[in-house]
């Protein structure tokens, strides 16, 4: 992906460029939430304004060099093909997914490629991101503490939030409620997502580790970032995402250098040991959800006893059933016969936005697990992509992710050993590849951070060599 490199940043003061940078950083600071106003994320408003500024600037300078590479357009194109597939009877769902992909993979990435073009700018953006993330983690910690006192295993006794309410964010009745601001409101009520919360942190925390490695005379920064990492460790209860967070931190740590890598490894071991020894402390949820539940294929006996359909029966967990159902849909696509005027579902899928409609029909062979409530966002992004956009869409996604991991790896190798931003970008890129195995990170809030990651990696040529003195002067 040679087109990921861009020209060196311009040295002259550009008011439009400065405005674009402020809007982009503000949007990034609003990323750690899924709260919306009339279905519009606050970051989307700022990115929309930034798009207008970018357009004016591009016309004035006659410069469109920061448009994303071809692979972005291929991913969007694979989604657009859904309008012509057999399963795409809900054309408005296809249109909605295509618009979202255009906005983030084309528009937002272009904006971030334009502004995140120097180490100093990347550092400012990271500080804004982590400041907002700290607030989100603070809420997550508060929810985790409340869970230890107000956890309710019996579904019949839980408070149901049918309408938007602030109280929902301060109520924690199950581990999934420990999700900070990563919750959505739908016609059926409140849907907190510990998976989305943990996935966002998995992408953001490598930058906290990198910022710790930047020379600074301010000891308070080390205290702040240390508290952020500890708060995240305490509040993350998504057992399938926790190992990915660990991998991202280890990749970042060793990319910073052997010493930093060793310190990171010791920190990870300390976290695992404390989690193992936590026992019944604060309800014992961390050990249960991080070290036990991910390795159990069936629901717990306690959960089975509260089942209304088959009390006492430990069915297969819906997380694993969801993956099997997706495989069943893909297998059915391969066997299905298509008409002359229809695109092959194996190659092009059933249409973007049609995953839930198709997956709901594929649980029949898996018993009563469809009666379980799946944690929001707890499905494989790779399987989701294959169901909706077929092998063509999966290939485009893999090319997109692989290209950026390659760019991040080249950035680490090209730069001086210990380049903090190269290390963080590599750690986050590896995390993104792994996240698609257990969730779909292309969701509101996290999508902003993903676009910023792509934008910064798109400017990898300008971030390869970071003199130590330059970082010290900006610390």
């Amino acid at each position: 992906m040679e087109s990921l490199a861009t020209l060196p940043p311009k040295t002259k003061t550009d008011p439009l460029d400065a405005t674009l940078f402020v809007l982009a950083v503000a949007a990034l600071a609003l990323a750690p939430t899924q709260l919306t106003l009339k279905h519009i994320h606050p970051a989307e408003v700022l990115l929309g304004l930034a798009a207008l500024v970018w357009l004016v600037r591009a016309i004035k300078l006659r410069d469109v060099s920061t448009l994303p590479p071809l692979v972005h357009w291929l991913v969007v194109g694979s989604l657009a093909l859904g309008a012509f597939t057999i399963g795409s009877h809900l054309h408005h769902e296809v249109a909605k997914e295509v618009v979202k992909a255009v906005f983030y993979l084309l528009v937002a990435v272009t904006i971030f490629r334009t502004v995140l073009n120097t180490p100093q700018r990347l550092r400012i953006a990271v500080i804004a991101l982590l400041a907002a993330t700290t607030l989100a983690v603070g809420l997550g910690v508060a929810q985790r503490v409340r869970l230890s006192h107000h956890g309710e295993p019996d579904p019949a006794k839980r408070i149901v939030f049918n309408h938007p309410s602030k109280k929902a964010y301060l109520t924690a009745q199950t581990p999934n409620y420990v999700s900070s601001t990563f919750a959505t409101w739908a016609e059926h009520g409140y849907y907190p997502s510990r998976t989305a919360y943990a996935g966002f942190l998995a992408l953001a925390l490598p930058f906290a580790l990198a910022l710790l490695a930047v020379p600074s005379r301010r000891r308070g920064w080390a205290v702040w970032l240390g508290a952020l990492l500890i708060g995240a460790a305490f509040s993350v209860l998504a057992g399938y995402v926790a190992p990915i967070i660990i991998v991202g931190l280890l990749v970042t740590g060793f990319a910073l250098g052997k010493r930093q890598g060793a310190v990171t490894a010791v920190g990870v071991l300390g976290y695992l040991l404390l989690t193992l020894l936590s026992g019944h402390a604060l309800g014992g949820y961390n050990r249960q959800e991080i070290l036990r539940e991910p390795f159990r294929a069936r629901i717990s006996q306690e959960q089975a006893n509260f089942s209304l359909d088959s009390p006492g029966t430990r069915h297969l967990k819906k997380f694993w059933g969801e993956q099997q159902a997706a495989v069943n849909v893909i297998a059915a696509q391969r066997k299905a016969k298509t008409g002359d005027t229809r695109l092959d579902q194996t190659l092009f899928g059933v249409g973007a936005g049609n995953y839930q409609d198709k997956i709901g029909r594929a649980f029949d062979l898996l018993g009563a697990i469809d009666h379980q409530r799946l944690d929001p966002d707890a499905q494989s992004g790779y399987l989701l992509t294959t169901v909706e956009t077929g092998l063509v869409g999966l290939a485009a996604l893999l090319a997109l992710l692989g290209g950026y991991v390659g760019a991040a790896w080249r950035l680490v190798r090209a730069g001086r050993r210990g380049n903090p931003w190269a290390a963080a970008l590599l750690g986050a890129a590896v995390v993104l590849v792994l996240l698609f195995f257990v969730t779909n990170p292309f969701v509101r809030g996290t999508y902003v951070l993903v676009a910023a990651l792509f934008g910064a990696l798109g400017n990898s040529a300008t971030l390869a060599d970071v003199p130590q003195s330059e970082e010290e002067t900006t610390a």
Side-chain angles (χ1 to χ4, degrees), residues 299 302-313 315 371:
I299 61 175
E302 180 183 53
Q303 185 178 354
N305 290 337
F306 287 116
S307 173
L308 297 178
D309 302 287
S310 49
T313 303
H315 293 292
H371 297 291

Side-chain angles (χ1 to χ4, degrees), residues 221-452:
W221 285 49
V223 174
W224 162 40
L225 296 171
L228 172 61
L229 291 168
I230 293 173
F234 177 59
S235 60
V236 166
L237 296 179
Y240 298 115
V241 182
I244 298 175
I245 297 177
I246 290 174
V247 170
L249 292 175
L250 289 174
V251 169
T252 303
F254 281 101
L256 287 168
K258 292 182 179 179
R259 180 177 176 275
Q260 291 88 339
V263 171
T264 304
V266 169
V268 167
L269 289 175
Y271 160 72
L272 294 174
L273 182 61
L274 287 174
T275 302
L276 179 63
L277 298 177
S278 62
H280 296 289
L282 292 176
Y285 287 103
N286 289 73
R287 185 173 70 173
Q288 178 77 12
E289 299 300 324
I290 301 300
L291 299 181
R292 289 184 176 179
E293 285 303 324
F295 304 101
R296 291 177 175 172
R298 298 182 179 276
I299 61 175
S300 66
Q301 188 61 56
E302 180 183 53
Q303 185 178 354
N305 290 337
F306 287 116
S307 173
L308 297 178
D309 302 287
S310 49
T313 303
R314 296 182 61 193
H315 293 292
L316 180 70
K317 285 182 181 178
K318 192 168 184 179
F319 174 83
W320 296 111
E322 179 89 2
Q323 320 314 322
Q324 182 60 57
V327 172
N328 291 347
V329 172
I330 294 170
Q333 291 172 355
R334 181 177 59 83
K335 296 177 182 179
K337 295 181 179 180
T338 59
D340 295 337
T341 61
R342 299 166 177 170
L343 295 179
D344 191 308
Q345 291 188 40
T346 304
L347 289 177
F348 303 102
V350 298
N354 287 344
Y355 175 82
Q356 289 300 333
D357 179 63
K358 288 293 181 180
I359 209 74
R361 307 174 188 178
F363 281 109
D364 295 342
L365 302 178
L366 301 175
I369 65 171
D370 194 29
H371 297 291
Q372 299 174 35
R373 182 172 179 177
L374 181 71
D375 283 1
D377 303 306
Q379 63 273 115
S380 168
Y382 291 120
L383 291 178
L384 183 150
T385 298
T386 306
V387 169
E388 293 192 342
T389 61
L391 295 179
V392 170
L394 179 63
L397 176 63
L398 292 176
L400 177 76
L401 299 178
Y404 280 111
V405 170
W409 175 245
R410 290 193 296 272
L411 177 58
V412 169
R413 295 189 63 184
R416 180 173 50 79
R417 186 174 183 81
N419 180 337
W421 308 128
L425 290 169
L426 176 61
V430 171
V431 161
L432 186 60
V433 171
L434 296 177
L435 279 178
F436 271 95
F437 283 104
V438 297
T439 186
N440 174 28
F442 287 172
V443 294
R444 278 174 171 157
T446 307
Y447 222 156
V448 179
L449 181 52
V450 171

Side-chain angles (χ1 to χ4, degrees), residues 7-341:
L7 296 175
K10 297 182 181 297
T11 57
K12 293 183 179 180
T13 303
D14 182 350
L16 291 175
D17 180 64
T19 302
L20 198 60
F21 176 65
V22 170
L23 289 171
V25 171
L28 194 56
L30 292 173
T33 180
Q34 287 188 336
L35 291 170
T36 60
L37 181 61
K38 295 187 181 298
H39 304 293
I40 298 177
H41 192 279
E44 293 172 347
V45 176
L46 295 179
L47 290 173
L49 294 174
L52 295 176
V53 175
W54 181 90
L55 183 60
V56 172
R57 182 176 179 272
I59 293 174
K60 178 182 177 182
L61 300 179
R62 297 182 181 179
D63 179 14
V64 294
S65 61
T66 56
L67 286 173
L70 176 62
V71 67
H72 285 253
W73 301 83
L74 294 178
V75 171
V76 174
S78 68
L79 290 169
L81 282 174
F84 305 99
T85 59
I86 290 178
S88 185
H89 58 280
L90 300 176
H91 292 290
H92 67 281
E93 291 294 334
V94 178
K96 184 170 67 174
E97 292 301 314
V98 171
V99 168
K100 184 171 71 172
V102 167
F103 185 82
Y104 284 106
L105 292 180
L106 300 184
V107 176
V109 169
T110 296
I111 293 167
F112 286 116
R113 287 192 75 189
T114 303
V115 301
L116 299 181
N117 53 7
T118 68
Q120 296 94 330
R121 283 189 162 194
L122 185 56
R123 183 175 184 273
I124 293 171
V126 165
I127 291 172
L129 168 68
L130 295 179
T133 302
T134 300
L135 297 177
V137 169
L139 177 58
V141 169
Q143 292 170 340
R144 173 64 186 86
V145 172
R146 291 188 67 83
L147 175 66
S148 65
H149 300 292
H150 304 285
E152 180 51 71
D154 187 350
K157 296 181 180 179
R158 294 174 195 157
I159 301 173
V160 177
F161 296 96
N162 293 320
H163 305 287
S165 169
K166 294 179 182 178
K167 186 179 179 181
Y169 296 94
L170 300 175
T171 303
Q173 302 171 96
T174 70
N176 196 51
Y177 278 66
V178 183
S179 60
S180 186
T181 55
F182 287 83
T184 57
W185 292 91
E187 58 182 4
H188 297 296
Y190 179 62
Y191 292 90
S193 177
R194 60 176 168 177
T195 301
Y197 173 56
F200 185 92
L201 289 179
L203 290 167
L205 292 182
F207 293 95
L209 199 61
L211 194 57
L212 275 172
V214 175
S216 176
R217 300 183 183 90
R218 304 173 185 176
R219 295 181 180 178
W221 285 49
V223 174
W224 162 40
L225 296 171
L228 172 61
L229 291 168
I230 293 173
F234 177 59
S235 60
V236 166
L237 296 179
Y240 298 115
V241 182
I244 298 175
I245 297 177
I246 290 174
V247 170
L249 292 175
L250 289 174
V251 169
T252 303
F254 281 101
L256 287 168
K258 292 182 179 179
R259 180 177 176 275
Q260 291 88 339
V263 171
T264 304
V266 169
V268 167
L269 289 175
Y271 160 72
L272 294 174
L273 182 61
L274 287 174
T275 302
L276 179 63
L277 298 177
S278 62
H280 296 289
L282 292 176
Y285 287 103
N286 289 73
R287 185 173 70 173
Q288 178 77 12
E289 299 300 324
I290 301 300
L291 299 181
R292 289 184 176 179
E293 285 303 324
F295 304 101
R296 291 177 175 172
R298 298 182 179 276
I299 61 175
S300 66
Q301 188 61 56
E302 180 183 53
Q303 185 178 354
N305 290 337
F306 287 116
S307 173
L308 297 178
D309 302 287
S310 49
T313 303
R314 296 182 61 193
H315 293 292
L316 180 70
K317 285 182 181 178
K318 192 168 184 179
F319 174 83
W320 296 111
E322 179 89 2
Q323 320 314 322
Q324 182 60 57
V327 172
N328 291 347
V329 172
I330 294 170
Q333 291 172 355
R334 181 177 59 83
K335 296 177 182 179
K337 295 181 179 180
T338 59
D340 295 337
T341 61

